[in-house]
Amino acid sequence: MKKLIILLLCFFNLAFAVDAKLEIVKKSQNLPKIVVAIAKNSKDINFLKKVKKVIVNDLKVSGHFNVEATYVSTNFNSKPDLYILQKNNVDLYLNIDSINTGFGGITVNTKLYDINSKQLVQNKSFSTKYEKRYPFLSHRIAIAVNKYLKAPSIDWMDKFVIFSVYKDSKKADIYIGDYTLSFQKRIVSGGLNIFPKWVNNEQKSYYYTTYRNSVPTLIEANLYTGKKKVIMKSEGLIVASDVSKDGSKILVTASPYGQADIYLYDINTKTKQRLTTYKGIDVGAHFVENDKKIIFVSDRLNHPNIFLKTIGQRGVQRVVYHGNNNSSATTYKNYVVYSSRDKANEFGIRTFNLYLISTKSDFLRRLTSTGVNQFPKFSADGESILHIKNINGRSYVGIIRLNYNKSFTFPLNGGKIQSIDW
């Protein structure tokens, strides 16, 4: 346990360093070693192999563990061979087993041993009604192990991502899934359905754009009841790009007068306020600096770039002085991540990379190096970036762990991701 406490202090040092310096901290070389094992007496080995794969992946993505190969195979109710585990410098040993419940569901039982203290420190069960939802069950197991370590939260792994996938010309469907795309469920189909956006962090409802009688229409839909209602319509274009912290206002790109502008729509009063009146194109706004200002993309320089505007005031401020094609952005507090087209390199002739900046300084850091990286989205805690990555004709969901200088990609099997939110 003493060893884990020392490592834990290292984690907190990393987290505070990021907040203070806005820098990406390099990977620690002293992460606790964990072994994930399937109980020797388990009956459903094939199912548990899928669960284990996701758990191992989650622990690696967290940046808080070194996942080791399985050294010991133990019956679920037996204590593992501590001598062998200690000899291999293992700190934690997670043993998993499963049983089918009487209601057609499935339960995964887990036992977590702290090898340094020689004690069973967690004995938990995780259930789901549907076997195909095993990725979320696995994420919850990884979250529980992470909490034992008291490492920075990875609760975001248990959240839905929502995304649109191009199927054919003028055809795109909307899906929900887990962040690895191991679980996917189509929730909207038929026609062109694009730009899904969660209404709030509860993830019970979402906005999306569809075409009704050839008119772009912004819809709010309930994930569980399927009930839908029209929020706004606009000829040419309409997209919900961000939601205020309290969920009462949304930033909408619409073009009722020909060119696209930014509007602030009040959910309670059902009124909209036009925030930009530029004669060119203003799109993709996000709240920043405690919802008092917005970041948006504009062609005011005859090419797409990122600008800042205070809500209720005239005038705009250029934010990015790098690149000639900066086409999308996301925000967290005073931080902005944007997508920028870079010159051709050895990885391909068309490359878009993600860059991290602050509205309070001249800080600039590149986050990606290959492929076309677009539609970045900050996690709720600001520690991770979700984005779409296209490379070699294939579409991926990308995760960048800012604190740990790590990035991961998860492929989409068929189709091309149009936009994503979490």
Side-chain angles (χ1 to χ4, degrees), residues 172-224:
D173 297 340
I174 293 177
Y175 292 76
I176 56 171
D178 74 314
Y179 82 98
T180 70
L181 302 185
S182 301
F183 171 80
Q184 296 178 35
K185 180 181 179 182
R186 186 169 59 186
I187 56 175
V188 181
S189 62
L192 186 61
N193 304 290
I194 51 181
F195 297 111
K197 177 74 183 173
W198 290 114
V199 166
N200 52 42
N201 288 333
E202 294 181 358
Q203 297 192 328
K204 292 181 179 178
S205 299
Y206 56 96
Y207 301 113
Y208 72 100
T209 299
T210 191
Y211 286 73
R212 291 189 172 183
N213 299 320
S214 300
V215 177
T217 305
L218 182 62
I219 300 290
E220 179 183 338
N222 186 288
L223 179 63
Y224 299 97

Side-chain angles (χ1 to χ4, degrees), residues 25-301:
V25 179
K26 292 184 178 179
K27 178 183 176 183
S28 168
Q29 300 299 317
N30 299 309
L31 299 176
K33 292 182 179 180
I34 184 170
V35 167
V36 181
I38 296 173
K40 195 174 183 178
N41 57 329
S42 295
K43 296 179 180 178
D44 197 346
I45 298 296
N46 289 332
F47 172 72
L48 286 170
K49 283 183 177 178
K50 294 190 295 184
V51 172
K52 175 184 173 179
K53 182 179 179 181
V54 177
I55 295 172
V56 167
N57 184 66
D58 286 348
L59 296 176
K60 291 179 178 177
V61 171
S62 76
H64 304 157
F65 300 88
N66 272 332
V67 184
E68 297 287 300
T70 305
Y71 301 107
V72 173
S73 181
T74 309
N75 287 340
F76 188 70
N77 291 321
S78 301
K79 203 167 187 177
D81 189 330
L82 299 178
Y83 172 77
I84 295 296
L85 292 167
Q86 282 184 317
K87 185 178 179 182
N88 287 281
N89 297 315
V90 172
D91 298 293
L92 296 167
Y93 179 84
L94 178 67
N95 206 11
I96 61 174
D97 192 11
S98 67
I99 58 171
N100 292 322
T101 65
F103 303 98
I106 195 162
T107 295
V108 173
N109 298 314
T110 68
K111 288 187 176 181
L112 180 66
Y113 294 87
D114 186 325
I115 305 305
N116 299 303
S117 65
K118 300 179 175 60
Q119 292 182 346
L120 173 67
V121 292
Q122 277 190 1
N123 186 355
K124 293 177 176 289
S125 296
F126 303 83
S127 298
T128 178
K129 289 183 178 179
Y130 308 103
E131 183 176 327
K132 64 182 180 181
R133 290 180 178 266
Y134 76 90
F136 285 104
L137 188 150
S138 304
H139 297 327
R140 291 197 291 273
I141 294 171
I143 289 169
V145 173
N146 187 72
K147 285 183 178 176
Y148 169 70
L149 198 64
K150 297 183 179 177
S153 173
I154 56 171
D155 288 358
W156 55 267
M157 290 183 178
D158 196 32
K159 305 284 281 185
F160 283 126
V161 296
I162 188 168
F163 55 100
S164 174
V165 178
Y166 283 125
K167 296 294 184 179
D168 203 345
S169 176
K170 297 182 180 180
K171 292 183 179 178
D173 297 340
I174 293 177
Y175 292 76
I176 56 171
D178 74 314
Y179 82 98
T180 70
L181 302 185
S182 301
F183 171 80
Q184 296 178 35
K185 180 181 179 182
R186 186 169 59 186
I187 56 175
V188 181
S189 62
L192 186 61
N193 304 290
I194 51 181
F195 297 111
K197 177 74 183 173
W198 290 114
V199 166
N200 52 42
N201 288 333
E202 294 181 358
Q203 297 192 328
K204 292 181 179 178
S205 299
Y206 56 96
Y207 301 113
Y208 72 100
T209 299
T210 191
Y211 286 73
R212 291 189 172 183
N213 299 320
S214 300
V215 177
T217 305
L218 182 62
I219 300 290
E220 179 183 338
N222 186 288
L223 179 63
Y224 299 97
T225 66
K227 185 178 180 181
K228 299 177 181 179
K229 63 180 180 182
V230 174
I231 300 298
M232 285 177 62
K233 295 182 179 180
S234 175
E235 296 287 345
L237 175 69
I238 188 162
V239 177
S241 57
D242 201 11
V243 181
S244 63
K245 289 180 181 178
D246 62 4
S248 66
K249 296 180 177 62
I250 54 177
L251 290 170
V252 178
T253 299
S255 52
Y257 307 112
Q259 296 285 17
D261 279 306
I262 307 299
Y263 292 80
L264 183 67
Y265 183 85
D266 190 307
I267 295 296
N268 298 319
T269 63
K270 297 180 173 53
T271 58
K272 61 179 182 291
Q273 175 188 357
R274 187 175 177 180
L275 299 184
T276 63
T277 56
Y278 170 59
K279 294 181 179 179
I281 298 173
D282 293 334
V283 297
H286 283 71
F287 290 104
V288 70
E289 296 188 19
N290 202 27
D291 294 354
K292 294 179 180 177
K293 301 179 180 179
I294 60 169
I295 289 283
F296 63 101
V297 179
S298 176
D299 68 346
R300 291 160 197 259
L301 301 175

